[in-house]
Amino acid sequence: EKIIATAYDDAALNNGTTGTFTQGIYKVDWTVTDSVPISAVKNINVVVTWRIGGDQKTFTTNYYKAVTY
């Protein structure tokens, strides 16, 4: 939610920016890529990992943030 609420031109969403945070059993990693799949759009790849009963689980999604004028 914090990433989604971040403004398109915020330094936190510069091309190549990565981040990680942990909340409870969840570890969230993200990477920002500019102009993917088209110009004026940022692709934010988010990977969530956690362990349950010794098994590691993973959820991956992409969020696309377009510039608004």
Side-chain angles (χ1 to χ4, degrees):
E1 292 176 5
K2 185 176 182 178
I3 297 168
I4 293 169
T6 303
Y8 180 90
D9 58 354
D10 190 291
L13 295 182
N14 285 346
N15 188 46
T17 300
T18 61
T20 299
F21 73 89
T22 302
Q23 183 171 347
I25 65 170
Y26 303 101
K27 178 183 173 207
V28 181
D29 296 293
W30 71 90
T31 304
V32 179
T33 308
D34 280 346
S35 300
V36 174
I38 58 174
S39 63
V41 172
K42 295 180 187 258
N43 174 11
I44 305 166
N45 177 260
V46 180
V47 179
V48 181
T49 55
W50 68 98
R51 287 197 174 277
I52 295 179
D55 294 328
Q56 181 168 315
K57 306 293 183 181
T58 302
F59 173 79
T60 302
T61 190
N62 288 294
Y63 175 74
Y64 299 98
K65 187 170 199 79
V67 65
T68 54
Y69 299 99

